Each structure stands twice: as C-alpha cells, then as structure tokens.
Amino acid sequence: MRPFTEVLNELCNNPPDGRGKVTNVALAAAVKARGGDIGHGYISQLRLGVKDNPTCQAIVDLAGALGVHPAVFLGGRRELHPAEQPGWRPTAVSTLFEAVHPPDRGPWSPEEVAASISSSGQFGSISASYIRELLSNTSDNPRLKHILGLADHFGADPAYFLDDDLAARVDSELTDFLALRELGVVEFVTRLAERTGDLSPQARAAAVEGFRQALEVGEGWSFPLNSRRTSADHT
C-alpha cells in the first residue's frame, strides 16, 4: 500500500475534478466547509510525512474535501458513487472477529489481537480495551495504524473498513465460508492439507469420497486420518 503522504500529495497536486493544485489552506477551508476541523498546519505535517497516523474521521474529511472515496488512502477505490457518504463501517471489526480465526478454535480474543498487532512493530500499539470499544461501537474513530494493524491480523483489505461495495463482496464470501466451516469442510481441507505428504493418492481420494458421502446423507464428519501412512495405503 502506498504511504498516506504520497496519496495525499498526489490528490492535492492533481485533484480529480481538474481544478488547480489545492493548497493546505484551501484544503483546510474545504474540510471546515464540510463540518470538519483540520488545520492547515496539520495538513502540512501530513503532506511532509511528519505526521502519518491520522484518525479515521480525518481521513474521511480530507477525502470528502478532495472529492474522492476515503478508501483511496487505504489502497482502495478513488471514485465516489453519486450521493455516497462513506465512513467507518461499524460492523467491520465484529464481522472479522466472528469469521476469521483458525479452524481448530474459536474467535481470537481482544487481548490476543492487541498483542499480535502491538508486537509486530509495524502499526504502533493498540490495547485490548480499545479493541473492545471498536467491537461494541463505543468508539468509531480509530487511527490509520489501528486500521492497518487490524487488517493485517485478519488478512483483510484495509479498505474493507471504509468501502461498502468491497465489504458487500467480502461479507458474501465470509457467509459462504462460515457455512462451509459449519459443515466441517474447512477443517477437513485443513487436515487433509496437513497430511498430504503422508498419504498416498488412493488414501486422499478415499478421504474426499468419504467426506462427500457424509455431506450427501447429512451425517457429521470426523476426520479419520489420525495415523501416519501404512503399507495398507498402497493397496
């Protein structure tokens, strides 16, 4: 993903509406006209890279003043739909917590996610209590590095947190994924992949066929490959 300062400078120097370069003072005035409050001094620091961790609301205000979708600052789309008013998606964090976790356990805890993000060293620090606030929607204005850290932990596109179009596609895929996980497909595929080197082609084919039959008759499935390959696998 391109640095925030690079995207902001490009948009100020080449505004999408074809007007001339947008100065820091003019951009601050445009933000204020939209009801925001970002001083031209802070905009200057963002453009110079002195500051690099704006809040979500600041990103939305700057994007709105420049006539672009805020997802552009997160590697996403630039164009706005008519009358579109994008912002922080309040269900994004809870959806990822529910859907994205290892197949052999339940959802990550806020403590685990906070520790993972903070220990990486790429996205600053975030506390478990703040993640709980995002989950409960008592907070809706995370900073850029918080968004990037959450996206990195869950393997999500950072623009997912701001772009309804992208979110609709991702959430549809997650719904299908959850259905497959409920049926045991995810666990089956994961376990089979782990054992690929231990199994003959015949054993792998037998496992897949057994799983297919279990799904057809609606029975539960217990992965049967609990021991290493034996000579019987070759028969």
Side-chain angles (χ1 to χ4, degrees):
M1 193 181 81
R2 296 168 63 196
F4 182 89
T5 182
E6 182 179 314
V7 178
L8 180 58
N9 277 313
E10 179 181 286
L11 292 170
C12 288
N13 291 329
N14 300 284
D17 58 6
R19 55 183 155 160
K21 291 183 179 181
V22 179
T23 66
N24 299 337
V25 172
L27 183 54
V31 168
K32 185 175 182 179
R34 293 173 49 84
D37 184 18
I38 303 177
H40 64 84
Y42 182 64
I43 291 174
S44 175
Q45 291 179 314
L46 288 173
R47 294 188 64 180
L48 291 171
V50 176
K51 299 289 187 181
D52 63 354
N53 196 24
T55 64
C56 180
Q57 188 59 55
I59 294 171
V60 170
D61 287 341
L62 289 169
L66 290 164
V68 297
H69 197 289
V72 71
F73 289 110
L74 298 170
R77 64 181 167 105
R78 172 170 162 166
E79 297 76 16
L80 277 168
H81 300 317
E84 186 178 16
Q85 295 183 328
W88 175 252
R89 297 185 54 256
T91 61
V93 177
S94 58
T95 298
L96 292 176
F97 262 86
E98 177 185 356
V100 184
H101 56 79
D104 58 348
R105 55 157 290 168
W108 301 103
S109 70
E111 286 78 11
E112 289 174 314
V113 175
S116 173
I117 293 172
S118 299
S119 65
S120 75
Q122 300 180 65
F123 312 107
S125 62
I126 188 171
S127 67
S129 60
Y130 185 65
I131 291 177
R132 286 194 177 86
E133 291 177 9
L134 294 174
L135 282 167
S136 64
N137 294 321
T138 55
S139 180
D140 60 0
N141 194 25
R143 290 191 173 273
L144 174 61
K145 289 184 179 180
H146 291 154
I147 297 172
L148 297 179
L150 289 166
D152 181 75
H153 177 82
F154 289 106
D157 187 326
Y160 172 78
F161 294 94
L162 298 176
D163 186 348
D164 286 333
D165 286 358
L166 174 62
R169 296 193 299 271
V170 171
D171 288 351
S172 177
E173 293 172 358
L174 286 176
T175 297
D176 293 341
F177 173 79
L178 290 173
L180 291 173
R181 187 165 68 193
E182 183 69 22
L183 289 170
V185 175
V186 175
E187 181 182 4
F188 171 77
V189 173
T190 301
R191 296 285 300 278
L192 186 61
E194 291 172 348
R195 300 296 306 279
T196 295
D198 298 332
L199 301 174
S200 68
Q202 295 90 340
R204 292 197 297 271
V208 172
E209 177 60 19
F211 184 71
R212 183 189 66 78
Q213 292 177 6
L215 289 178
E216 286 183 352
V217 299
E219 295 179 353
W221 175 259
S222 177
F223 199 92
L225 306 173
N226 294 320
S227 60
R228 295 183 63 83
R229 180 175 58 184
T230 66
S231 58
D233 294 329
H234 297 283
T235 60

